[in-house]
Amino acid sequence: VFFTSIGVTAEFVGIAQNIWLIVGLSILAILTKLIGSAIGAKLAGFNWRSSLGVGAAMVSRGEVALIIAAMGLEANLLSSNMFAVIIVVILITTIVTPPMMKLFFNNPENVKQRAS
């Protein structure tokens, strides 16, 4: 119900005017979560491939970002246009997470074992 109410309140009119902001924020969101989490995993003793896999798994912004954005909109700290931009960035980070995880967690040895 919460996520439906968020979707109903978002106005996506004029979102094309903010396409470069969406692209920039999406890249920034992906890189900061990927690199920051990968460094944390590396410091915890993971190898680099696994560390990047952990970072990829953390990229999705999901419900916490939606809650914060909704609170910002409700408190008039965000305009409806900026709220829509944030919603699109959240959707993009959620969509790119599974392929990134597959990229880093796809172990070539497992593929060979499945083929035989």
Side-chain angles (χ1 to χ4, degrees), residues 22 25 65-66 69 78 81-91:
I22 292 169
L25 286 177
L66 283 173
L78 288 176
N81 283 343
M82 186 55 71
F83 180 71
V85 166
I86 292 171
I87 297 296
V88 172
V89 171
I90 291 168
L91 288 171

Side-chain angles (χ1 to χ4, degrees), residues 27-44:
I27 291 169
L28 182 66
I30 291 167
L31 289 178
T32 54
K33 270 288 185 112
L34 178 68
I35 294 168
S37 299
I39 290 171
K42 183 64 178 164
L43 291 173

Side-chain angles (χ1 to χ4, degrees), residues 31 60 106:
L31 289 178
S60 179
N106 192 9

